[in-house]
Amino acid sequence: MSDLVAGPAPVEPPGKRFNWLVLVYVLMTLAVIGGAIFFVVGGAGADPTGGCGGG
Amino acid sequence: MAEADPAIAAGGSITRWWLVATVALTLSAICAGVLLAPPESSRVGPALTSLLFLGASVHVGSTAWFYGVPAVRCHMWRNPKRYLVVPAVLVVATVAAVLLVPRSWVPVGLLAFFAWQFFHFQKQNLGVAAIAARATGSPSLVPSERRAIVLAGCGGTAALVGRPELLRIAEAPEVPGLFAVGVAVFAAAAGYGVVAVLSRTPTGRSPAFLVVYLTSLLFFAPVFLFDSPYAAVAGITIAHGLQYLLLMGLLAAAPNETGARSVVGVLVLVNVAVVVGLGLSQASHFHEAHGWTRAFYGIYLGLVMSHFVIDAGLWRLRDEFPRAFLTQRLPGLLARRSTPALAE
């Protein structure tokens, strides 16, 4: 009954809804990158070919 | 340079951006390897360590992203030998080798591994030059131009195998004269390639294509110019990886088969590449391990070789699926176009 008086609910403009999934992925990516930097830079270094297989 | 070339203009900003970024990343990576190379007997610094992680392990790890793309996965199931069987065999065989083979044989095995790795580098450079020809509307690479790039890579690879200290392989056998052979082959191939590409008509050799071709042809030059392993090798390792990650990033960011584009696709690529790359990087440190944990080192070597095999299939533009998939995702780079002069 109140809808007939007040009218239909306003339509949300397109593109305005915040994409929480993207935020989760961004935060996850930052955590992964941070963890990688911690392990790699704090580790045993690298040989010129990128691994540590030079013996 | 790019604005004067109508073919580059037709490809749009992505063509210009890719051409500039490819050359800039290649040259700056090589310079970084030279400038950040530590003095002998000093530890490599965090900046170069990070760049090597990105250019080596992360780029190899990013190949795993392909297994998550439905169209590519379908293609892999239809071609199980290259994409499933051979990688599995490589990993199992390499694990068996590192666990069972006498340690004195390991340096020889590593030389063979690195020879394949550097040949793989040059095959990518050949692919980059071929893409540059398409993207700039230049005629495809002719056999002499392709041969020159491949031979230059063979020269660089021979030189590295001939000087295993540049690869920091302890107790590797030295092959007398192999470095000199590498010098001769590289120099001859470089000259041959320059003559071949300059014999194109002016409309068939846009400045952008020429720069990319010459960068590919002379890619192994640092190997002959520097005695420091990092100055000679690290830069080209990083450059190879960054070229690959650039293309992978463009693929992940491109609209998929349904036309949908998602930033999440790029983030998935980054996560897969970094996580798998971190695993590879950590596994590579088990080369000195004893007992069963040494198997991780075998897994690392096997997965890197699998990357060589998978890449050789997925980026082969002469084959129907890679051509269709890559052209659909990267039309700005790979859709065939020609300059008005060539079309007449």
Side-chain angles (χ1 to χ4, degrees):
Chain A
M1 190 71 173
S2 59
D3 282 344
L4 292 174
V5 173
V11 175
E12 199 171 315
K16 290 284 184 180
R17 181 175 298 171
F18 186 75
N19 194 330
W20 289 101
L21 183 62
V22 172
L23 176 63
V24 166
Y25 269 101
V26 169
L27 292 175
M28 188 169 73
T29 304
L30 291 174
V32 163
I33 291 173
I37 290 173
F38 173 78
F39 277 105
V40 168
V41 175
D47 67 17
T49 55
C52 194
Chain B
M1 174 171 84
E3 283 71 22
D5 193 320
I8 295 176
S13 60
I14 193 148
T15 301
R16 275 192 294 276
W17 191 86
W18 176 77
L19 288 165
V20 171
T22 295
V23 174
L25 286 173
T26 303
L27 296 180
S28 55
I30 290 172
C31 289
V34 174
L35 295 172
L36 296 174
E40 201 171 319
S41 76
S42 291
R43 205 180 128 102
V44 62
L48 190 56
T49 299
S50 301
L51 286 173
L52 280 166
F53 171 66
L54 193 62
S57 301
V58 172
H59 109 267
V60 172
S62 70
T63 306
W65 174 83
F66 280 119
Y67 285 87
V69 179
V72 179
R73 209 166 45 237
C74 245
H75 172 70
M76 288 175 169
W77 275 118
R78 286 197 300 268
N79 298 273
K81 196 164 83 170
R82 178 186 285 278
Y83 299 107
L84 300 172
V85 174
V86 169
V89 166
L90 281 171
V91 170
V92 169
T94 319
V95 167
V98 299
L99 289 177
L100 301 173
V101 155
R103 291 237 172 180
S104 57
W105 293 14
V106 170
V108 175
L110 282 176
L111 280 179
F113 166 79
F114 283 122
W116 191 2
Q117 175 172 305
F118 291 113
F119 185 71
H120 162 78
F121 282 16
Q122 199 63 348
K123 292 290 280 185
Q124 176 171 299
N125 286 318
L126 178 61
V128 165
I131 293 174
R134 271 192 178 233
T136 57
S138 302
S140 300
L141 296 180
V142 296
S144 55
E145 292 166 338
R146 301 177 75 90
R147 220 175 288 132
I149 289 180
V150 172
L151 280 174
C154 290
T157 302
L160 284 166
V161 172
R163 284 187 71 190
E165 65 270 22
L166 290 179
L167 302 172
R168 298 190 67 197
I169 301 177
E171 298 170 4
E174 289 225 10
V175 180
L178 188 56
F179 183 81
V181 168
V183 171
V185 170
F186 180 80
Y192 179 50
V194 168
V195 167
V197 78
L198 290 181
S199 61
R200 288 180 168 232
T201 60
T203 47
R205 54 166 200 254
S206 75
F209 163 71
L210 263 187
V211 171
V212 175
Y213 182 86
L214 291 174
T215 306
S216 297
L217 182 69
L218 303 174
F219 187 79
F220 279 86
V223 169
F224 304 98
L225 298 175
F226 301 102
D227 288 330
S228 154
Y230 288 93
V233 177
I236 62 175
T237 301
I238 297 166
H240 169 80
L242 292 182
Q243 288 175 359
Y244 189 83
L245 288 172
L246 175 64
L247 282 167
M248 290 296 285
L250 290 175
L251 274 184
N256 61 19
E257 291 73 27
T258 64
R261 189 198 293 265
S262 167
V263 72
V264 168
V266 178
L267 294 174
V268 168
L269 169 68
V270 172
N271 279 282
V272 166
V274 173
V275 169
V276 176
L278 188 58
L280 288 170
S281 174
Q282 297 304 302
S284 73
H285 290 278
F286 281 85
H287 66 282
E288 290 288 352
H290 294 274
W292 69 269
T293 56
R294 196 167 157 77
F296 289 114
Y297 183 54
I299 292 172
Y300 160 73
L301 293 174
L303 288 176
V304 174
M305 288 190 283
S306 299
H307 160 77
F308 302 159
V309 171
I310 292 165
D311 260 11
L314 287 179
W315 291 93
R316 197 178 160 90
L317 290 179
R318 290 188 229 188
D319 292 348
E320 188 188 336
F321 173 79
R323 189 172 59 246
F325 174 74
L326 296 171
T327 306
Q328 183 268 319
R329 291 256 176 161
L330 302 173
L333 286 185
L334 293 169
R336 262 272 167 227
R337 70 184 73 88
S338 56
T339 58
L342 288 174
E344 284 168 10

